Amino acid sequence: MSTHDFDPIFRPRAAPRRHASRLLVLSAAALLLHAAVLSGAQWAWPSHEAPHPPVAKTMQVRLVEPVEPPVAVSTERLVAAAPESAIAAAAAPEAVPAPPRTEPRGRPAVVSRPAAAAAPKVLPQQLASEEPVAKPALQLALATANRGASPASTPADDDETIPHYRTRLPPAATLRYDVSRGMLHGTGDLVWRPQGDRYDLKLDFRLGGMTILSQSSSGGFDAAGIAPVRFTDQRFRRGTTAANFQREAGKITYSGSSSEIPLRTGTQDRLSWMMQLAAIVSAEPQLAKPGAKVAMVVTGANGDVGVWVFRCLGPEAVELRGTSIDAVKFVREPREAHDTAVQVWLDPKRHDLPVRATQKSGANDEGYDLRLLEVQSAN
């Protein structure tokens, strides 16, 4: 054993060192305790039975997604896409308040989003059809806003009020015309052949030695006058199209179209209308006065159909190869941009047959202009 263990010089120094170490440990513990208290943390010491590291019992903080409370869907939200002028026509119903939310005490507030709580999406086109949503006044306002402007009035008002005309058919004849289309000139023959209860009508236009238009109409007669059964139309370098008047079935069908239309009494084709108009005016001369009108349904070979209203403008002279003819002018005005416009001059001295006629479709169409050259009797 060393002599230093008993040396009185070394013994007094041992006690201060032990006291200093204790003071440092106690000071550190005090500082830690003060820091824990100041930070507000809650500490829990581990149990002797715990096999794992100690778990601190801390305050549970849970972040949840903020969710709007479920509310009843009001009419104001559903008709947000409707015009303001329409919505202003009626007051919107009041919204039903949502029931208050209650949460169990002692548990964190966690709000779930049930599927039924979400407001349904309503499309604009459903607004007018869902009667429980809007008040009657609002429904009327929406219907008025969605209806829009009414179409412009046209002669279509005569569609259901075509009068029943008397007719006096012209005798069989061949009419030869001078035909012009823009800078082109040629000739055309209109051959009219009524025989008993049947008729045949044919028109050929020739320009520059070529047939550029060939039309034919055939059929019979009824109480309204000419009753077509078949109409054909052939243009230069194009195939032939046809309209078939199925009178027993009461409809008109087309070779170049799948459309069908009801067959109305007095309906004419794009060629027979010329003879039908002459037959009506010949039987009812009062219709040859200014302001008088003659209406008939006219169809082509491609499914086009409409009411043609011929309005009488009164007497007008027509120059035919230096000879002035006193004729009566009728016009059929177009209803739309590419509709057919017709002018026709009837000669009372020639069974009201057309001595001149023009026809064009649209402002950019040169159209046809027919002027009578001669009338050849079939007898």
Side-chain angles (χ1 to χ4, degrees):
M1 177 178 299
S2 174
T3 57
H4 292 287
D5 296 336
F6 299 97
D7 192 347
I9 298 175
F10 296 101
R11 289 181 182 177
R13 297 179 181 179
R17 290 181 180 176
R18 292 192 186 97
H19 289 298
S21 299
R22 291 177 183 177
L23 289 175
L24 289 175
V25 172
L26 291 176
S27 299
L31 289 175
L32 291 175
L33 181 62
H34 280 80
V37 172
L38 292 176
S39 62
Q42 296 181 0
W43 298 90
W45 298 100
S47 173
H48 294 286
E49 299 177 356
H52 300 290
V55 179
K57 293 183 179 180
T58 62
M59 179 184 296
Q60 296 183 0
V61 179
R62 189 172 183 179
L63 298 179
V64 297
E65 180 184 359
V67 179
E68 296 180 2
V71 296
V73 182
S74 64
T75 305
E76 294 173 336
R77 294 180 61 184
L78 296 179
V79 299
E84 295 182 1
S85 58
I87 298 177
E94 297 180 356
V96 179
R101 293 182 298 168
T102 59
E103 297 296 336
R105 295 182 178 179
R107 296 183 181 179
V110 179
V111 180
S112 62
R113 186 189 296 270
K121 295 182 179 180
V122 179
L123 300 178
Q125 58 267 27
Q126 295 175 332
L127 297 178
S129 61
E130 296 184 1
E131 295 182 359
V133 173
K135 293 181 179 180
L138 182 57
Q139 291 176 350
L140 179 60
L142 291 174
T144 303
N146 294 332
R147 183 169 60 244
S150 58
S153 58
T154 65
D157 296 339
D158 297 322
D159 288 0
E160 303 298 332
T161 58
I162 296 178
H164 175 76
Y165 302 103
R166 296 179 299 164
T167 58
R168 181 182 298 146
L169 297 173
T174 298
L175 290 77
R176 176 159 292 179
Y177 294 94
D178 176 71
V179 181
S180 62
R181 180 174 175 82
M183 301 299 295
L184 301 176
H185 292 271
T187 58
D189 291 334
L190 179 62
V191 181
W192 164 244
R193 293 292 183 268
Q195 296 179 353
D197 59 352
R198 301 283 302 175
Y199 79 89
D200 287 290
L201 182 63
K202 187 173 179 61
L203 174 65
D204 290 316
F205 286 171
R206 295 175 297 274
L207 294 178
M210 297 179 295
T211 301
I212 64 171
L213 175 64
S214 181
Q215 295 179 335
S216 67
S217 175
S218 60
F221 307 99
D222 59 15
I226 298 176
V229 173
R230 181 174 173 81
F231 169 68
T232 63
D233 187 309
Q234 183 179 12
R235 306 299 174 101
F236 181 65
R237 293 183 178 177
R238 296 182 184 178
T240 301
T241 55
N244 300 295
F245 295 73
Q246 301 184 24
R247 298 195 169 274
E248 293 183 358
K251 63 182 180 180
I252 304 176
T253 59
Y254 304 89
S255 64
S257 173
S258 60
S259 61
E260 297 181 356
I261 64 170
L263 175 58
R264 298 175 58 183
T265 302
T267 299
Q268 303 298 314
D269 56 53
R270 287 275 185 151
L271 182 57
S272 65
W273 71 264
M274 300 179 71
M275 292 300 166
Q276 177 75 354
L277 180 61
I280 292 174
V281 174
S282 180
E284 301 192 18
Q286 74 277 7
L287 296 177
K289 296 180 180 180
K293 295 181 180 180
V294 177
M296 66 183 75
V297 179
V298 178
T299 183
N302 296 311
D304 52 308
V305 62
V307 175
W308 286 21
V309 179
F310 296 92
R311 182 166 53 92
C312 181
L313 299 184
E316 184 173 306
V318 178
E319 297 294 330
L320 299 176
R321 288 196 171 185
T323 303
S324 180
I325 303 295
D326 294 329
V328 180
K329 183 178 181 179
F330 288 82
V331 296
R332 191 263 169 169
E333 297 176 351
R335 300 182 180 181
E336 53 189 20
H338 299 286
D339 202 1
T340 302
V342 176
Q343 298 180 98
V344 59
W345 291 260
L346 306 182
D347 185 1
K349 297 181 179 179
R350 292 182 172 88
H351 307 284
D352 293 293
L353 290 171
V355 293
R356 186 188 176 192
T358 66
Q359 181 171 315
K360 62 185 304 183
S361 299
N364 298 326
D365 183 18
E366 294 178 332
Y368 291 95
D369 190 345
L370 287 71
R371 294 175 183 266
L372 185 66
L373 296 175
E374 61 177 337
V375 178
Q376 297 177 356
S377 175
N379 296 331

